């Protein structure tokens, strides 16, 4: 069984300022570094075999802080990147509140279908690359929600959002062939 410790990166400067980061690198703020260090301390005795991160800096930094307590290097993958918010990237999130209806969104935003396909590809990749391993993967709020949507076979809006530096455990052997192509 592959066991996934799914983690959201620590708080960033843009999180604290309510800025839509999308696929920008992002930078952990002091609170985000503290969150990652506290999570590293909580997980230091867990037998984690591998550490994987989104290739965006905010996740890499979080993953490196956690992996350091295990003396392990990290591997990055673009499959864990945050949703591409297109022209919403860099915008003040409260200013987008009147655009809750996706039909009003610009065409350059990554679709939920594409996001969930990427989440499915990540889960299949993880099962293939790390069979019967315990893997900690640091991603982002929306891609992590898409991964859980595929895993639990539930719509994304039925899943509770992850907080910064939150971890959730997923047992990948429970996935069906419909959820993840073998």
């Amino acid at each position: 069984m592959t066991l996934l410790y799914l983690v959201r990166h620590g708080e960033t400067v843009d999180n604290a300022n309510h800025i839509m980061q999308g696929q920008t690198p992002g930078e952990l703020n002091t609170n985000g570094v503290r969150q990652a260090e506290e999570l590293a301390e909580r997980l230091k005795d867990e037998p984690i075999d591998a550490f994987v991160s989104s290739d965006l800096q905010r996740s890499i930094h979080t993953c490196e802080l956690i992996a350091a307590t295990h003396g392990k290097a990290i591997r990055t993958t673009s499959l864990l990147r945050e949703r591409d918010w297109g022209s919403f990237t860099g915008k003040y999130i409260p200013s987008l509140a009147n655009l809750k209806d996706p039909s009003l969104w610009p065409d350059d935003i990554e679709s939920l279908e594409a996001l969930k396909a990427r989440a499915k590809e990540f889960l299949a990749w993880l099962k293939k690359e790390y069979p019967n391993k315990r893997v900690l993967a640091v991603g982002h709020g929306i891609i992590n929600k898409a991964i859980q949507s595929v895993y639990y076979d539930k719509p994304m809006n039925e899943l509770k959002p992850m907080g910064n530096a939150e971890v959730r455990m997923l047992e990948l052997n429970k996935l069906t062939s419909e959820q993840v192509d073998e």
Side-chain angles (χ1 to χ4, degrees), residues 28 49 57 76 97 102 111 129 144:
L28 296 184
D49 299 303
Q57 186 56 43
T76 62
S111 71
E129 291 292 312
N144 286 5

Side-chain angles (χ1 to χ4, degrees), residues 59-131:
S59 290
I60 292 170
H61 191 185
T62 301
C63 196
E64 287 173 339
L65 290 168
I66 299 167
T69 61
H70 291 80
K72 298 201 175 179
I74 71 166
R75 183 174 179 186
T76 62
T77 176
S78 60
L79 294 173
L80 275 174
R81 277 187 179 186
E82 182 57 295
R83 184 178 194 178
D84 183 351
W85 285 103
S87 51
F88 280 178
T89 302
K91 303 279 189 212
Y92 183 58
I93 294 169
S95 74
L96 302 172
N98 62 335
L99 296 174
K100 290 188 188 278
D101 179 358
S103 69
L104 302 174
W105 293 1
D107 292 336
D108 61 354
I109 294 175
E110 183 177 13
S111 71
L112 283 182
E113 295 77 21
L115 183 70
K116 286 178 76 170
R118 190 158 46 90
K120 186 175 183 178
E121 186 179 349
F122 170 73
L123 290 169
W125 174 82
L126 201 65
K127 282 183 73 170
K128 180 177 178 258
E129 291 292 312
Y130 299 100

